[in-house]
Amino acid sequence: MPRQQTLSAPFLARRKALGPPRPATLGMGVMTVFYAVVLLLPLYSLFSKAFLNPDGSFAGLANYVEYFSTPALSVSIRNTVVVSVVSALLGTALGFAYAYGITRTQIRGKVFFRYVALIPLFLPTVVHGLSLIYLFGNQGILTNLGWDIGLYGRTGIILSEIIYTFPQSFLMFYISLNYADGRLYEAADTMGCGALKKFRQITIPSVRYTLINSLFVCFTLAFTDFGAPKVLGGSYNVLATDIYKQVAGQFDMNMGAVVGTLLLLPAIVSFAVDRITARQNNGTISAKASALRVKPNALRDGIFFLLCTLVALCMLALVAVLFLGAFTTYYPYDLSFTLENFSFNQSTGGFQSYLNSIWMSLLTAVLGTAFVFVYACLIERSKCAGGLKQAGKLLSSLPLALPGMVIGLSFIFFFNHKDNPLNFIYGTVLILVLANLIHFYSVPFVTASSALKKLDREYENVSESMRVPPWKTFLRVTVPLSLPAILEIFLYYFMNSMVTVSAVVFLYSAKFKIASIAITHMEEAGDFAQAAAMSLLILLVNVVARGLYELLVAKLHARSRARAVQN
C-alpha cells in the first residue's frame, strides 16, 4: 500500500497542478465525441454491412463478387462513369466561360447574369429533370417544334447534371478569376503579347488548381446524384438508382451497402485532390498587386454577351416551364389557367410536406449554425489541447467526401438498430436534421473558420486580463464581428436542406414527408403539374431567404461603414 501511494503521488501532484479541465476543453471534448458518434459509427455500420450476409454472418468479399458478376448491375458503374465524365467536362467548360464573361469582359448586366446562374441551386435536382421533360419530353414544347433529342436515358441525365454542376463550377471560377494581378497583364502588353497568348500563359495557369478542383467536384456531384437519374434515367441504370432499387425496392440492405461504398470512391479521390491542390496552390495575391483593368473589346464582349445571354435564357426557361405546368389545367392538352394544381394530393404529402420542409430546414439552419460556429470557435480561438483541435479539424473535413445517399444509408443501419439507445430519433424530424447537418457540414465549417481567423487575438487577451468570462467575450465580441459569416452559414444550411433529396430519401417517414421527396412521388405518379407547383413553392422560399440575407448583409455593411466614418 505505501508503495502504491508513493507511485501515485507524482500523478496526483500533476493532476492538482493542472486543476480541473477548462470549460472550453470540456465543451470541445463533448462536441467532438458527439460529432464522432453521429459521423463515424454510422459509416462503420455501412462498411460492416457490405461484408455481411443477410443473416448477419461474415461474407467477406462475396457481396462485391456478386455485384460485379451480375451484368445488369455492374453495367451501372460504366454508365455512371460515362455520365459523370461528360458532365464534368461540359459543366466545367460552361462554368469557366460564363465566369470569364462576367469577370474579364466589359459586358452589361453582370449582376443579373451572376444571380441567374444560381437558379439551379434553388431547386432540387429532381426539378431539373422535370423542367427538361416539359421542354424535351415526349410532349415537350421543343419536341413538338421538331427538336426531339431522345431525352430519356443517357442524354437526359447528362443535360440535367450539367445544369446541376454548372453553378458549382461557375462560383469556383468566379472567385478565382476575380483575384488577378494586373501587373502581369500590363507587363505582357508592354512586351507585345496578344490576347490569346496572355490567356494561355497567364489566365489559365492562374486558375489551374480551380480547374482541377472543378473537374473533380463536378464529376463527384454527377457520380452521386440521385434526382436526375431517378426522373430521366428510364432503363439507363446508374449507381445512385441502383442503391434506391436495392434498398427501397428489394430491401437488400447488404447489396445497398456495397453500392454505397462504391459511391464513396470518387468522393474520396476528389477530397484528396482538394487537399493536395490546397497545399500546392501558392497563387496568393501580393500586397503590391494592382487591380486588373479590363479593356473594351467589341468582338470579345459581343461573343461573351451572347454566350451569357444564351445560358441565362436556358436557366430562366427552366423556371418558365414550371410556371407553365403549374398554372395550366393539363399541359399540353388544356392550357387554361388554374390554381387547382396547388391543391396537392395527401397521398404524396400534400401542402403539409412543404411546411415540413420549411420546419426541417429552419431546424437544420439554427442547430447546424450554432454547432458549426461554436465548434469552429473552440478549434480556432480556444486554448484547448492541440490534439483535440487536430481531431476536430480532421472530423470537420470528412463530410466533404461523403455523398448524401451514403449518409442516409449509413444512418439507416446505425439509428434503426434496435439495440441503439439513439433509436428513438429514427422516423422523426431529428434524424433528417442530423443527416443534413452532417451532409452540408464542411462548407459552413470552412466559412466559420475563415471568419474567425480574421479576428484579432487581442480580444481574448484583453478579456482574460480583465477576468471577463469567455462566454461573454463570445456573445458580445466574437458573434457580432462574425455576423455576416453566421448569416451565410444559416442561409447555406437552409437552402440546401430545402432542396436535398439524396440525404433524406431513405430517412423520411410516412408521417413526416418533405417537399423534395413529395416532388419525386408526384413525378412517379405522373402528376407533373403538381410537381411543378411544389417546385415553384420551394423556389419561392429560397429566393425570399436569399433576398433577406442580401438585405441583412447590406445593412451590416452600411452600419460598419457608418461606424468607420464616425471613428
Side-chain angles (χ1 to χ4, degrees):
M1 179 67 76
R3 179 174 175 79
Q4 290 179 351
Q5 290 176 346
T6 304
L7 289 173
S8 61
F11 172 77
L12 294 174
R14 287 196 301 271
R15 183 68 180 270
K16 185 176 181 181
L18 291 173
R22 291 172 175 266
T25 303
L26 184 61
M28 187 172 177
V30 172
M31 294 182 78
T32 302
V33 170
F34 167 78
Y35 190 45
V37 167
V38 298
L39 175 64
L40 299 181
L41 293 185
L43 287 178
Y44 172 77
S45 299
L46 172 69
F47 278 100
S48 62
K49 201 79 172 178
F51 297 95
L52 297 177
N53 290 313
D55 60 2
S57 60
F58 183 69
L61 297 175
N63 290 327
Y64 288 91
V65 172
E66 180 183 350
Y67 183 84
F68 285 105
S69 61
T70 305
L73 296 178
S74 59
V75 74
S76 299
I77 298 177
R78 184 188 64 194
N79 292 345
T80 307
V81 171
V82 169
V83 165
S84 303
V85 168
V86 176
S87 300
L89 291 173
L90 296 179
T92 296
L94 194 60
F96 173 77
Y98 198 85
Y100 189 89
I102 292 178
T103 58
R104 299 297 178 88
T105 70
Q106 290 284 2
I107 64 173
R108 295 183 177 181
K110 291 184 177 182
V111 175
F112 168 77
F113 287 134
R114 180 162 59 89
Y115 281 111
V116 168
L118 304 181
I119 286 177
L121 300 179
F122 297 168
L123 295 165
T125 55
V126 175
V127 180
H128 305 160
L130 183 65
S131 295
L132 288 175
I133 290 175
Y134 274 110
L135 289 170
F136 297 105
N138 295 332
Q139 296 295 329
I141 298 171
L142 298 179
T143 304
N144 290 330
L145 294 177
W147 195 3
D148 187 354
I149 63 172
L151 179 67
Y152 297 99
R154 181 175 60 188
T155 301
I157 296 176
I158 290 174
L159 278 177
S160 186
E161 299 301 356
I162 291 173
I163 295 169
Y164 177 36
T165 58
F166 160 71
Q168 320 279 349
S169 179
F170 160 72
L171 288 173
M172 296 171 71
F173 282 115
Y174 179 79
I175 295 171
S176 182
L177 289 169
N178 258 326
Y179 293 96
D181 191 347
R183 297 176 303 170
L184 297 175
Y185 292 87
E186 291 171 3
D189 287 335
T190 60
M191 295 173 65
C193 295
L196 184 61
K197 192 170 185 179
K198 287 188 290 185
F199 178 80
R200 206 172 56 241
Q201 297 188 1
I202 300 177
T203 303
I204 293 299
S206 69
V207 298
R208 63 183 181 275
Y209 292 112
T210 304
L211 178 63
I212 294 170
N213 278 331
S214 175
L215 286 170
F216 276 95
V217 167
C218 291
F219 179 88
T220 303
L221 290 173
F223 197 94
T224 58
D225 181 44
F226 170 74
K230 176 68 176 64
V231 177
L232 300 173
S235 59
Y236 192 85
N237 290 335
V238 295
L239 288 174
T241 52
D242 270 0
I243 290 185
Y244 189 76
K245 291 174 183 176
Q246 294 293 332
V247 175
Q250 303 177 26
F251 298 101
D252 191 341
M253 298 297 183
N254 301 89
M255 199 59 68
V258 168
V259 184
T261 58
L262 295 177
L263 275 182
L264 275 173
L265 296 179
I268 293 173
V269 173
S270 178
F271 174 75
V273 169
D274 180 69
R275 298 277 79 81
I276 293 171
T277 54
R279 287 199 299 267
Q280 294 182 352
N281 187 5
N282 295 318
T284 54
I285 300 299
S286 168
K288 299 179 181 179
S290 62
L292 174 63
R293 291 189 293 272
V294 179
K295 299 177 181 178
N297 183 304
L299 178 61
R300 179 205 63 198
D301 294 349
I303 291 173
F304 277 98
F305 181 77
L306 179 61
L307 171 69
C308 292
T309 300
L310 289 175
V311 174
L313 287 175
C314 290
M315 296 297 116
L316 292 173
L318 297 177
V319 178
V321 293
L322 293 178
F323 278 94
L324 178 65
F327 290 102
T328 55
T329 302
Y330 187 45
Y331 176 85
Y333 305 106
D334 186 353
L335 299 182
S336 58
F337 179 82
T338 183
L339 295 176
E340 191 64 29
N341 295 322
F342 289 87
S343 302
F344 304 108
N345 295 330
Q346 292 301 318
S347 59
T348 54
F351 188 75
Q352 185 62 42
S353 65
Y354 179 64
L355 300 178
N356 290 345
S357 275
I358 295 176
W359 172 236
M360 177 197 70
S361 300
L362 284 173
L363 273 179
T364 302
V366 171
L367 298 179
T369 302
F371 184 88
V372 168
F373 190 76
V374 172
Y375 199 44
C377 191
L378 290 172
I379 291 175
E380 299 295 342
R381 312 292 295 186
S382 70
K383 296 181 179 180
C384 298
L388 198 57
K389 289 188 176 184
Q390 291 303 317
K393 289 181 179 179
L394 177 61
L395 288 173
S396 297
S397 62
L398 287 181
L400 200 61
L402 298 178
M405 295 197 79
V406 170
I407 293 174
L409 199 59
S410 64
F411 271 36
I412 288 180
F413 297 148
F414 180 67
F415 289 102
N416 196 31
H417 198 282
K418 61 181 180 180
D419 296 329
N420 188 341
L422 298 175
N423 175 264
F424 69 93
I425 75 168
Y426 190 80
T428 68
V429 65
L430 289 179
I431 196 169
L432 302 179
V433 170
L434 203 56
N436 288 329
L437 192 153
I438 296 296
H439 185 204
F440 305 116
Y441 180 87
S442 293
V443 172
F445 179 81
V446 171
T447 302
S449 296
S450 300
L452 290 165
K453 286 176 181 177
K454 294 178 183 177
L455 300 183
D456 197 330
R457 286 282 179 183
E458 288 301 312
Y459 291 119
E460 282 83 1
N461 296 335
V462 171
S463 298
E464 189 173 354
S465 65
M466 298 180 67
R467 300 182 183 276
V468 176
W471 63 268
K472 281 190 176 181
T473 306
F474 174 77
L475 292 177
R476 296 181 179 179
V477 179
T478 306
V479 170
L481 291 176
S482 305
L483 204 52
I486 292 174
L487 291 175
E488 186 177 346
I489 294 170
F490 185 94
L491 179 70
Y492 183 87
Y493 262 126
F494 180 84
M495 287 182 55
N496 280 282
S497 298
M498 281 296 300
V499 303
T500 186
V501 176
S502 59
V504 297
V505 68
F506 296 130
L507 299 176
Y508 74 95
S509 67
K511 296 180 179 179
F512 195 90
K513 291 182 179 179
I514 58 176
S516 57
I517 300 299
I519 292 173
T520 304
H521 291 163
M522 292 170 185
E523 183 275 330
E524 288 177 347
D527 294 332
F528 293 109
Q530 291 196 6
M534 184 67 79
S535 303
L536 289 179
L537 291 179
I538 292 178
L539 177 65
L540 173 65
V541 73
N542 278 337
V543 168
V544 169
R546 180 75 192 191
L548 290 175
Y549 164 78
E550 297 285 355
L551 288 174
L552 289 173
V553 170
K555 186 175 291 188
L556 289 174
H557 287 165
R559 186 182 300 174
S560 299
R561 287 194 295 269
R563 287 177 179 175
V565 171
Q566 291 176 358
N567 294 334

PDB file of all heavy atoms in Angstrom, residues 151-163:
ATOM      1  N   LEU A 151     -34.686  12.392 -74.964  1.00  0.00           N
ATOM      2  CA  LEU A 151     -34.352  12.860 -73.620  1.00  0.00           C
ATOM      3  C   LEU A 151     -34.063  11.741 -72.634  1.00  0.00           C
ATOM      4  O   LEU A 151     -33.091  11.812 -71.865  1.00  0.00           O
ATOM      5  CB  LEU A 151     -35.496  13.732 -73.092  1.00  0.00           C
ATOM      6  CG  LEU A 151     -35.317  14.291 -71.676  1.00  0.00           C
ATOM      7  CD1 LEU A 151     -34.171  15.289 -71.637  1.00  0.00           C
ATOM      8  CD2 LEU A 151     -36.612  14.951 -71.189  1.00  0.00           C
ATOM      9  N   TYR A 152     -34.883  10.709 -72.626  1.00  0.00           N
ATOM     10  CA  TYR A 152     -34.808   9.710 -71.557  1.00  0.00           C
ATOM     11  C   TYR A 152     -33.598   8.791 -71.753  1.00  0.00           C
ATOM     12  O   TYR A 152     -33.370   8.273 -72.840  1.00  0.00           O
ATOM     13  CB  TYR A 152     -36.094   8.898 -71.499  1.00  0.00           C
ATOM     14  CG  TYR A 152     -37.287   9.766 -71.167  1.00  0.00           C
ATOM     15  CD1 TYR A 152     -38.141  10.216 -72.176  1.00  0.00           C
ATOM     16  CD2 TYR A 152     -37.535  10.175 -69.863  1.00  0.00           C
ATOM     17  CE1 TYR A 152     -39.222  11.034 -71.885  1.00  0.00           C
ATOM     18  CE2 TYR A 152     -38.610  10.985 -69.567  1.00  0.00           C
ATOM     19  CZ  TYR A 152     -39.452  11.419 -70.573  1.00  0.00           C
ATOM     20  OH  TYR A 152     -40.512  12.242 -70.276  1.00  0.00           O
ATOM     21  N   GLY A 153     -32.836   8.632 -70.695  1.00  0.00           N
ATOM     22  CA  GLY A 153     -31.625   7.824 -70.756  1.00  0.00           C
ATOM     23  C   GLY A 153     -30.395   8.691 -70.555  1.00  0.00           C
ATOM     24  O   GLY A 153     -30.418   9.687 -69.818  1.00  0.00           O
ATOM     25  N   ARG A 154     -29.316   8.316 -71.232  1.00  0.00           N
ATOM     26  CA  ARG A 154     -28.037   8.982 -71.023  1.00  0.00           C
ATOM     27  C   ARG A 154     -28.085  10.472 -71.359  1.00  0.00           C
ATOM     28  O   ARG A 154     -27.574  11.303 -70.601  1.00  0.00           O
ATOM     29  CB  ARG A 154     -26.968   8.294 -71.879  1.00  0.00           C
ATOM     30  CG  ARG A 154     -25.569   8.887 -71.714  1.00  0.00           C
ATOM     31  CD  ARG A 154     -24.547   8.086 -72.478  1.00  0.00           C
ATOM     32  NE  ARG A 154     -24.873   8.074 -73.906  1.00  0.00           N
ATOM     33  CZ  ARG A 154     -24.239   7.315 -74.795  1.00  0.00           C
ATOM     34  NH1 ARG A 154     -23.263   6.507 -74.395  1.00  0.00           N
ATOM     35  NH2 ARG A 154     -24.576   7.355 -76.071  1.00  0.00           N
ATOM     36  N   THR A 155     -28.720  10.827 -72.470  1.00  0.00           N
ATOM     37  CA  THR A 155     -28.760  12.230 -72.894  1.00  0.00           C
ATOM     38  C   THR A 155     -29.426  13.113 -71.850  1.00  0.00           C
ATOM     39  O   THR A 155     -28.903  14.182 -71.486  1.00  0.00           O
ATOM     40  CB  THR A 155     -29.515  12.363 -74.232  1.00  0.00           C
ATOM     41  OG1 THR A 155     -28.862  11.571 -75.219  1.00  0.00           O
ATOM     42  CG2 THR A 155     -29.555  13.815 -74.686  1.00  0.00           C
ATOM     43  N   GLY A 156     -30.569  12.683 -71.351  1.00  0.00           N
ATOM     44  CA  GLY A 156     -31.291  13.476 -70.362  1.00  0.00           C
ATOM     45  C   GLY A 156     -30.534  13.607 -69.057  1.00  0.00           C
ATOM     46  O   GLY A 156     -30.500  14.688 -68.448  1.00  0.00           O
ATOM     47  N   ILE A 157     -29.906  12.511 -68.609  1.00  0.00           N
ATOM     48  CA  ILE A 157     -29.147  12.571 -67.355  1.00  0.00           C
ATOM     49  C   ILE A 157     -27.990  13.552 -67.488  1.00  0.00           C
ATOM     50  O   ILE A 157     -27.741  14.368 -66.597  1.00  0.00           O
ATOM     51  CB  ILE A 157     -28.624  11.170 -66.972  1.00  0.00           C
ATOM     52  CG1 ILE A 157     -29.782  10.222 -66.687  1.00  0.00           C
ATOM     53  CG2 ILE A 157     -27.710  11.263 -65.754  1.00  0.00           C
ATOM     54  CD1 ILE A 157     -29.356   8.796 -66.408  1.00  0.00           C
ATOM     55  N   ILE A 158     -27.275  13.497 -68.618  1.00  0.00           N
ATOM     56  CA  ILE A 158     -26.129  14.392 -68.814  1.00  0.00           C
ATOM     57  C   ILE A 158     -26.582  15.848 -68.847  1.00  0.00           C
ATOM     58  O   ILE A 158     -25.962  16.719 -68.204  1.00  0.00           O
ATOM     59  CB  ILE A 158     -25.378  14.029 -70.115  1.00  0.00           C
ATOM     60  CG1 ILE A 158     -24.651  12.695 -69.948  1.00  0.00           C
ATOM     61  CG2 ILE A 158     -24.386  15.122 -70.491  1.00  0.00           C
ATOM     62  CD1 ILE A 158     -23.994  12.179 -71.197  1.00  0.00           C
ATOM     63  N   LEU A 159     -27.665  16.143 -69.560  1.00  0.00           N
ATOM     64  CA  LEU A 159     -28.174  17.515 -69.593  1.00  0.00           C
ATOM     65  C   LEU A 159     -28.537  18.007 -68.191  1.00  0.00           C
ATOM     66  O   LEU A 159     -28.210  19.140 -67.806  1.00  0.00           O
ATOM     67  CB  LEU A 159     -29.402  17.597 -70.502  1.00  0.00           C
ATOM     68  CG  LEU A 159     -29.156  17.710 -72.008  1.00  0.00           C
ATOM     69  CD1 LEU A 159     -30.481  17.706 -72.755  1.00  0.00           C
ATOM     70  CD2 LEU A 159     -28.367  18.968 -72.334  1.00  0.00           C
ATOM     71  N   SER A 160     -29.211  17.162 -67.437  1.00  0.00           N
ATOM     72  CA  SER A 160     -29.617  17.549 -66.089  1.00  0.00           C
ATOM     73  C   SER A 160     -28.406  17.733 -65.175  1.00  0.00           C
ATOM     74  O   SER A 160     -28.371  18.655 -64.350  1.00  0.00           O
ATOM     75  CB  SER A 160     -30.556  16.491 -65.507  1.00  0.00           C
ATOM     76  OG  SER A 160     -31.074  16.911 -64.267  1.00  0.00           O
ATOM     77  N   GLU A 161     -27.400  16.879 -65.314  1.00  0.00           N
ATOM     78  CA  GLU A 161     -26.196  17.002 -64.481  1.00  0.00           C
ATOM     79  C   GLU A 161     -25.392  18.250 -64.837  1.00  0.00           C
ATOM     80  O   GLU A 161     -24.752  18.851 -63.966  1.00  0.00           O
ATOM     81  CB  GLU A 161     -25.311  15.760 -64.616  1.00  0.00           C
ATOM     82  CG  GLU A 161     -25.953  14.451 -64.186  1.00  0.00           C
ATOM     83  CD  GLU A 161     -26.412  14.438 -62.733  1.00  0.00           C
ATOM     84  OE1 GLU A 161     -26.160  15.425 -62.015  1.00  0.00           O
ATOM     85  OE2 GLU A 161     -27.043  13.463 -62.323  1.00  0.00           O
ATOM     86  N   ILE A 162     -25.409  18.654 -66.114  1.00  0.00           N
ATOM     87  CA  ILE A 162     -24.735  19.897 -66.497  1.00  0.00           C
ATOM     88  C   ILE A 162     -25.411  21.081 -65.811  1.00  0.00           C
ATOM     89  O   ILE A 162     -24.744  21.998 -65.305  1.00  0.00           O
ATOM     90  CB  ILE A 162     -24.740  20.069 -68.034  1.00  0.00           C
ATOM     91  CG1 ILE A 162     -23.835  19.014 -68.674  1.00  0.00           C
ATOM     92  CG2 ILE A 162     -24.276  21.469 -68.425  1.00  0.00           C
ATOM     93  CD1 ILE A 162     -23.914  18.995 -70.190  1.00  0.00           C
ATOM     94  N   ILE A 163     -26.748  21.060 -65.793  1.00  0.00           N
ATOM     95  CA  ILE A 163     -27.489  22.120 -65.093  1.00  0.00           C
ATOM     96  C   ILE A 163     -27.131  22.119 -63.607  1.00  0.00           C
ATOM     97  O   ILE A 163     -26.955  23.186 -62.998  1.00  0.00           O
ATOM     98  CB  ILE A 163     -29.005  21.913 -65.271  1.00  0.00           C
ATOM     99  CG1 ILE A 163     -29.383  22.079 -66.747  1.00  0.00           C
ATOM    100  CG2 ILE A 163     -29.801  22.884 -64.408  1.00  0.00           C
ATOM    101  CD1 ILE A 163     -30.802  21.643 -67.069  1.00  0.00           C
TER     102      ILE A 163
END
